[in-house]
Amino acid sequence: QVQLVESGGGLVQPGGSLRLSCTISGRIIRLNRMGWYRQAPGKERDLVATITNHGTTNYGESVKGRFTISRDNAKNTVYLQMNNLKPEDTAVYYCNANGEYGRRGSDFDSWGQGTQVTVSS
């Protein structure tokens, strides 16, 4: 069983910063791509940022230059540093990871429960 647990969400004023963390637990053999997605009320889930096991990053257009994704492979953790936050960044942020786990090296592609980020004055 693979579990993803996010933390770090909350209420912040426009222009402020937050750092999200997501730790993956279970009998992980290999972590491939890890990433963050977000979903605002009434909208589809959108890409925020992803990072491969080689460190290659990809960002959604609306967050480029403001958000930074990173990972700590020793801790099975992915981070999202969010700077210069705007009201339109308000959403539930979900962590995603894929890779292999267990004795048989089974593939997984799992999601966290989500953490709320609210940007408001």
Side-chain angles (χ1 to χ4, degrees), residues 6 20 36-48 87-95 111-118:
E6 301 112 331
L20 305 183
W36 292 93
Y37 295 76
R38 67 186 183 187
Q39 188 167 18
K43 294 187 176 182
E44 295 184 350
R45 190 172 297 189
D46 290 330
L47 166 72
V48 177
E88 51 264 43
D89 294 318
T90 296
V92 178
Y93 284 68
Y94 296 92
C95 177
W111 294 84
Q113 295 290 326
T115 184
Q116 176 70 46
V117 171
T118 302

Side-chain angles (χ1 to χ4, degrees), residues 59-75:
Y59 293 92
E61 285 297 322
S62 63
V63 306
K64 284 182 179 178
R66 300 187 298 124
F67 291 10
T68 303
I69 190 170
S70 61
R71 62 191 282 171
D72 184 335
N73 293 325
K75 296 181 179 179

